[in-house]
Each structure stands twice: as C-alpha cells, then as structure tokens.
C-alpha cells in the first residue's frame, strides 16, 4: 500500500534528514512511501530531490516537489489547492519549516563560569540571542507567520483529507518554547524580545487543542523537539569557527550526559521518525510533547 509524507522545509537541515530517514525506514519495512518536499525555493527543492535519488533506491516519481512559503497566506493557499488536486491521502504531515532570525549573540554570558547556566543557554538560547522579527507582506510578524500561522492555515485547508486519511500531523517544536515569552494578548509577539520561544510555545499549546478538537475524527497532532542540531538555523547564530572550534567540542563532551545534543540532523530526525511509527492508540497514553 502506498503512503504519503509531506514535509515543509524539506530541502535542508532536519526536514531533509527526515526525508532520508523516512526513505531508509520505508525501504526496510517494504512500504512504498511517497514524499512531497514542500520548500519555499524550487531550485533548492530540486537539489534535495536529486540528492535523495542519488543516495536511495527510490524512483523519481516517488518524490514530489510542491513550493510553499509559510510566511505568505497566498502561497499557502496555492500550496493547499495543489495538494488537494494531486493527493487524496496524507499519512504523515510534517510541519517543520521554521526560522529564528537573530541579530546579535551576547557571547559574554558564556564567561559566567557557571556550567549549568551555560548548558541552559545552549539548550534554550535564552538570554544570549537577540532576535530580530520583521513584518511579512501580509502584515504579520515573520516568526509567528512562518512557524505557526502558515502551518495552521494548511491544517484547516487540508482538514477534510487529513480526517479521511487518519493522518498524523507532526510539528517540529523546540525546547526553546517558553511560556513566559508568550502572551495571549500578543500572540504574534509584536512587543516581546523572544518571538521564537513564543512561537514554539504557541505550537505546544495548539497541538493540545487540535488533539482535543480532532482526535475523534482520527487525526492526531504531535510536537517534538529534535534536540540541538547543527543546521542553517544554528549556523546563522554564530560564525562556523565559533561552533566548530569551541562549542561543538564542548557539546560533544556534554552529550555523554544528555541526549538533547543530537547535533547531526539525521539524529535530530529520530524523534520525528519515531512519532510517525508509533501506533495511534499509544498517543493517548503519552504526552503529545516529546523531547528530542
Ligand atoms: N536546529 C536546531 O537545533 C533546532 C532545535 C529545535 C527546533 N528546531 C526546529 O527545526 C525546524 C527545522 O530547522 P533546522 O534546524 O533544520 O533549520 P534549517 O536548516 O534552517 O531548515 C529550516 C527549513 O525551513 C525552511 N523555511 C524557512 N522559512 C520558510 C518559509 N517561510 N516557508 C517555507 N519554508 C521555510 C528553510 O528553507 P530555506 O532553505 O529556503 O531557508 C529550510 O528548509 C525548525 O522549525 C526549527 O525551529 C531546530
């Protein structure tokens, strides 16, 4: 039987690693899995598709490309229209695309000589990251629209097909989700300094509500943190040399005591992959927020 996984932000980082892991896993389980790479940049998506075809024993018509910019309502509506026209079933819907625009990193906090505090800031990015959130063409805050709103429109536009397919909808959340960064009076985070933490916290909350609304219709929602992964997002925070010469060696040591520091995107995709495989009934016994 054929299955379909749609992944937003699939051209690089965790989304691309997830596509690889899904192809490996489905080949082992002898499932014919089709993957729809949903990316904002068509050329990058084509490159990702070629890499997958060169590395895995899958056919070109197993991997689809559908462009979408989650920070544009018009683009999301065009995307969902195309998905409805092309597919009648979605088994796994990975809502992974995300941004964390950072304008400045306060390195001085690394020299507090408090190991636990350094671990905390490496885990959550709290205090050290000065974030820069701009307005989108739709007039929304960019982090909110990219990470949350665009994906929520997708869910509601595709709800009929998600219900019909008894889909699993899996957000890439983050341990940087911070309740104290979120305000119900400012859901876009116009007035705060941690739009990323606010957006990921909002996803955690929305997943609980979406489960309450739609579990009875057979759709299950999850969010999970992939751990700290070296990807575009992390490399945008600090120069390569700071990561590769200083932080990654430290993180490799800390990693002996914590599974949070997944580092490699393929490791980061592990928890997301796990969620697509657990049986639906297991979910009722587990919290819908998984740690990486
Ligand atoms: N890396 C970590 O340590 C970490 C930890 C916790 C959670 N996460 C979450 O994991 C997810 C994937 O991040 P990553 O680490 O793999 O980072 P990444 O390498 O930067 O990948 C992000 C992906 O999202 C896409 N994207 C960004 N804005 C988009 C938009 N407006 N419309 C459509 N696609 C868009 C990017 O496309 P382009 O290539 O075109 O930019 C890219 O494909 C994100 O949601 C992030 O918040 C990451």
């Amino acid at each position: 039987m054929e299955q379909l996984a749609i992944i937003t932000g699939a051209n690089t980082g965790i989304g691309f690693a997830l596509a690889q892991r899904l192809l490996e896993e489905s080949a082992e389980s002898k499932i014919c899995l089709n993957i729809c790479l949903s990316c904002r940049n068509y050329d990058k998506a084509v490159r990702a598709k070629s890499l997958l075809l060169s590395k895995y024993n899958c056919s070109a018509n197993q991997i689809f490309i559908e462009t979408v910019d989650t920070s544009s309502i018009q683009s999301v509506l065009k995307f969902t229209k195309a998905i409805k026209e092309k597919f009648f079933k979605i088994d796994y819907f990975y809502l992974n695309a995300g941004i964390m625009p950072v304008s400045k990193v306060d390195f001085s906090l690394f020299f507090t000589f408090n190991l636990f505090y350094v671990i905390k800031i490496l885990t959550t990015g709290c205090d050290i990251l000065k974030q820069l959130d701009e307005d989108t063409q739709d007039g929304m805050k960019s982090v909110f629209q990219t990470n949350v709103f665009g994906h929520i429109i997708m869910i509601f536009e595709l709800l009929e097909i998600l219900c019909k397919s008894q889909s699993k909808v899996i957000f890439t959340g983050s341990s940087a989700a911070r309740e104290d960064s979120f305000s119900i009076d400012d859901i876009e985070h116009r007035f705060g300094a941690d739009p990323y933490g606010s957006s990921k916290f909002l996803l955690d909350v929305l997943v609980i509500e979406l489960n309450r609304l739609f579990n009875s219709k057979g759709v299950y929602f999850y969010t999970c943190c992939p751990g700290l992964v070296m990807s575009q997002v992390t490399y945008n925070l600090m120069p390569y040399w700071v990561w590769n010469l200083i932080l990654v060696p430290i993180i490799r040591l800390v990693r002996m005591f914590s599974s949070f520091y997944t580092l490699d995107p393929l490791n980061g995709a592990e928890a997301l992959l796990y969620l697509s495989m657990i049986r639906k009934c297991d979910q009722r016994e587990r919290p819908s927020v998984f740690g990486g």
Side-chain angles (χ1 to χ4, degrees), residues 8-15 38-41 44 68-71 95-99 146-147 172-175 196 200 225-234:
T8 66
N11 56 286
T12 186
I14 296 159
S38 307
C39 310
R40 63 176 158 180
N41 180 306
K44 287 186 187 177
V68 64
D69 178 347
T70 59
S71 68
L95 302 173
N96 164 76
I99 52 165
T146 306
N147 296 3
T172 310
S174 174
S175 62
Y196 185 79
K200 293 294 178 179
C225 173
L228 180 83
V229 174
M230 301 313 298
S231 65
Q232 272 179 183
V233 160
T234 31

Side-chain angles (χ1 to χ4, degrees), residues 12-35:
T12 186
I14 296 159
F16 181 63
L18 178 65
Q20 297 180 69
R21 297 287 311 266
L22 284 167
L23 285 174
E24 274 169 21
E25 200 63 39
S26 58
E28 265 175 39
S29 344
K30 303 214 176 344
I31 293 169
C32 178
L33 182 75
N34 298 320
I35 296 186

Side-chain angles (χ1 to χ4, degrees), residues 27-276:
E28 265 175 39
S29 344
K30 303 214 176 344
I31 293 169
C32 178
L33 182 75
N34 298 320
I35 296 186
C36 178
L37 307 175
S38 307
C39 310
R40 63 176 158 180
N41 180 306
Y42 181 75
D43 293 339
K44 287 186 187 177
V46 169
R47 234 172 292 142
K49 178 173 175 174
S50 317
L51 274 171
L52 292 174
L53 291 176
S54 65
K55 204 166 163 194
Y56 298 95
N57 185 20
C58 55
S59 71
N61 53 12
Q62 228 180 305
I63 301 182
F64 300 86
I65 290 176
E66 205 55 63
T67 51
V68 64
D69 178 347
T70 59
S71 68
S72 155
I73 295 175
Q74 198 192 8
S75 168
V76 170
L77 293 178
K78 199 167 149 240
F79 167 79
T80 51
K81 186 168 178 277
I83 294 290
K84 281 188 264 192
E85 282 165 5
K86 281 188 190 158
F87 307 109
F88 62 92
K89 184 170 167 277
I90 302 167
D91 296 277
Y92 311 113
F93 195 18
Y94 283 103
L95 302 173
N96 164 76
I99 52 165
M100 177 167 56
V102 167
S103 60
K104 193 176 156 230
V105 181
D106 186 355
F107 290 106
S108 63
L109 295 177
F110 282 123
F111 302 101
T112 52
F113 299 104
N114 176 342
L115 183 64
F116 292 106
Y117 182 61
V118 171
I119 290 174
K120 186 178 167 206
I121 58 182
L122 278 175
T123 309
T124 62
C126 71
D127 303 340
I128 50 163
L129 304 177
K130 306 294 167 224
Q131 299 179 45
L132 176 78
D133 198 5
E134 290 172 342
D135 283 351
T136 64
Q137 285 191 342
D138 294 321
M140 287 184 196
K141 279 290 162 193
S142 144
V143 174
F144 167 77
Q145 189 168 4
T146 306
N147 296 3
V148 184
F149 191 69
H151 285 135
I152 296 297
I153 307 179
M154 280 182 199
I155 291 172
F156 280 92
E157 284 294 313
L158 296 172
L159 199 54
E160 200 180 322
I161 182 167
L162 294 173
C163 291
K164 238 192 302 171
S165 333
Q166 311 264 292
S167 309
K168 287 182 178 184
V169 182
I170 301 166
F171 285 96
T172 310
S174 174
S175 62
R178 291 178 74 186
E179 185 174 0
D180 51 6
S181 294
F182 178 76
S183 162
I184 193 70
D185 300 320
D186 179 22
I187 58 167
E188 286 185 46
H189 206 78
R190 285 194 171 272
F191 305 108
D194 180 21
Y196 185 79
S198 166
S199 74
K200 293 294 178 179
F201 177 76
L202 180 54
L203 284 182
D204 289 353
V205 175
L206 286 172
V207 159
I208 295 167
E209 184 59 11
L210 287 165
N211 275 320
R212 195 185 64 77
L213 291 173
F214 301 116
N215 280 179
S216 59
K217 299 190 174 6
V219 191
Y220 283 77
F221 297 84
Y222 307 82
T223 175
C224 92
C225 173
L228 180 83
V229 174
M230 301 313 298
S231 65
Q232 272 179 183
V233 160
T234 31
Y235 279 120
N236 279 344
L237 304 179
M238 292 174 234
Y240 270 76
W241 68 267
V242 177
W243 280 112
N244 292 344
L245 293 179
I246 305 171
L247 294 177
V248 171
I250 297 173
I251 291 170
R252 283 199 190 284
L253 286 177
V254 178
R255 203 175 163 212
M256 290 193 274
F257 309 101
S258 162
S259 58
F260 175 77
Y261 300 96
T262 40
L263 289 179
D264 182 340
L266 289 167
N267 290 339
E270 176 76 27
L272 296 164
L273 183 75
Y274 172 79
L275 285 174
S276 62

